[in-house]
Amino acid sequence: MKKLINSTDTILEESLDGLAAAHADLLQLGPERKFVRRRELKPGKVALISGGGSGHEPLHAGFVGLGMLDAACPGQVFTSPTPDQMIEAAEAVDTGAGVLFIVKNYEGDVMNFTMAAEMAGREVASVVTNDDVAVEKSTYTTGRRGVAGTLIVEKMVGAAAETGMSLAALKALGDEVNRRTRSMGVALLPCTVPAAGRPNFTLPDNEMEMGVGIHGEPGRRRVPLASADAIAAELVEAILKDLEPSKGSEVVLLVNGFGATPLIELYLMVNAAKRILDRAGITATRFLTGSYVTSLDMAGVSITVSVLDSNATRLWDAPVQTAALRWGI
């Protein structure tokens, strides 16, 4: 295993210290590094909190700031944060309008965020994302996994929260954005969890895992390596079959790398996915390309499609200033 680490026991703490130092204008660490919080809070605004296992950076801490999250709770690598982290984060960033948890549908995350909501002693609502069309049930979940579509929910709900929208309205919006969003991914190479020191699954050079999860969970099937066009076709067609957007729909197209996929390949996949959408009568009017919801050093890609209307487009275009996303400022 070759990684830029000092110790597998301190990798998360040292990384969080670096994040806080590099983006001190936007965020700060909570006590004992239990959460990352927005440095400047907006009084009277609903506080948005998310989190999950580390190893998916920049999700979630990289999306703390203006127009997105007020706090993020990082667990150890591929391990859910604990309820006390969410409770302390809520206490730190709730300015009186309540708290909205945005939770990926993994059993540990859902259980711990639910416990935190019950114990927080304040008004809390939750949105659970489940955008992955690959499988209905996996190693970590009951029901569909929450993957890169979580970013789209955080962006749109975050923009709405900045306008002063109520907690109930934000939950309804988050649920609606989640319903309009679908994702699917493919792995070319596995990832290596530092504490394990070896790849978390095996994948021969001539095969790929179609529908892989962001922790390396099995997908739909293992198949021979195919061309980029063929991979894009399977991913996008599965998304469109499930999402069923009407012809003429406008969408956000998110092409997301898993951590070891170069941009030259990701933009090639943008081109391939866009051509498939065009043939289906679907127009991608907004794009986001890069490694935003990663799986440590996994090689592969996920594609996310989210249907837009005028309100969703306005929310997507709204200003955002975080460590990982910045526009309109």
Side-chain angles (χ1 to χ4, degrees):
M1 179 180 72
K2 292 183 179 179
K3 290 186 177 292
L4 298 172
I5 61 175
N6 295 310
S7 165
T8 56
D9 295 331
T10 61
I11 183 172
L12 176 56
E13 290 81 358
E14 293 179 72
S15 180
L16 288 172
D17 287 347
L19 174 73
H23 302 286
D25 58 324
L26 299 176
L27 51 82
Q28 63 189 58
L29 296 180
E32 302 177 45
R33 304 182 186 89
K34 288 185 177 180
F35 55 89
V36 178
R37 56 158 286 182
R38 184 169 166 175
R39 180 168 288 277
E40 299 294 334
L41 300 177
K42 186 173 183 179
K45 170 189 169 300
V46 172
L48 270 56
I49 300 175
S50 193
S54 297
H56 305 304
E57 290 77 15
L59 191 80
H60 295 274
F63 302 136
V64 172
L66 174 69
M68 288 191 79
L69 300 175
D70 293 278
C73 302
Q76 293 297 320
V77 173
F78 292 178
T79 303
S80 174
T82 55
D84 67 294
Q85 291 180 251
M86 285 77 94
I87 292 169
E88 292 186 30
E91 183 176 352
V93 300
D94 182 5
T95 62
V99 175
L100 182 66
F101 288 161
I102 300 176
V103 188
K104 300 186 303 302
N105 188 34
Y106 288 92
E107 289 179 350
D109 288 359
V110 172
M111 178 180 68
N112 288 348
F113 271 94
T114 299
M115 289 176 61
E118 293 170 352
M119 299 165 61
R122 64 191 69 244
E123 190 177 11
V124 178
S126 297
V127 171
V128 177
T129 61
N130 60 352
D131 52 298
D132 190 355
V133 303
V135 293
E136 290 295 332
K137 188 172 182 179
S138 76
T139 310
Y140 288 71
T141 63
T142 299
R144 293 182 173 185
R145 302 174 292 215
V147 289
T150 308
L151 183 164
I152 293 177
V153 173
E154 291 177 355
K155 173 65 183 76
M156 292 187 182
V157 176
E162 296 288 347
T163 70
M165 187 176 284
S166 71
L167 178 59
L170 288 172
K171 174 179 166 44
L173 173 65
D175 290 339
E176 177 61 25
V177 175
N178 178 64
R179 282 192 291 270
R180 294 199 307 258
T181 304
R182 299 289 190 277
S183 303
M184 186 168 163
V186 61
L188 307 182
L189 292 171
C191 63
T192 299
V193 176
R198 61 183 183 276
N200 62 348
F201 62 96
T202 58
L203 196 56
D205 289 343
N206 63 343
E207 293 184 354
M208 57 186 181
E209 184 73 33
M210 184 61 68
V212 71
I214 58 173
H215 306 96
E217 311 98 303
R220 291 187 169 185
R221 65 193 190 285
R222 190 161 291 188
V223 296
L225 186 64
S227 69
D229 282 347
I231 293 170
E234 179 155 356
L235 298 179
V236 175
E237 287 168 7
I239 288 169
L240 295 182
K241 181 180 179 181
D242 195 272
L243 187 58
E244 298 183 330
S246 58
K247 279 198 172 184
S249 294
E250 296 184 352
V251 300
V252 175
L253 174 60
L254 165 60
V255 174
N256 171 68
F258 284 146
T261 311
L263 274 170
I264 190 171
E265 296 177 25
L266 295 182
Y267 280 116
L268 186 153
M269 291 296 289
V270 171
N271 182 55
K274 181 181 181 301
R275 285 188 280 108
I276 297 163
L277 291 172
D278 288 344
R279 289 197 296 269
I282 308 300
T283 303
T285 60
R286 300 294 185 273
F287 297 83
L288 185 62
T289 308
S291 294
Y292 292 103
V293 182
T294 63
S295 302
L296 292 168
D297 55 349
M298 186 186 291
V301 66
S302 66
I303 291 176
T304 300
V305 175
S306 184
V307 177
L308 293 167
D309 56 19
S310 59
N311 184 54
T313 301
R314 176 181 60 81
L315 295 173
W316 183 259
D317 290 345
V320 59
Q321 187 173 29
T322 70
L325 289 182
R326 298 192 187 206
W327 63 69
I329 301 298

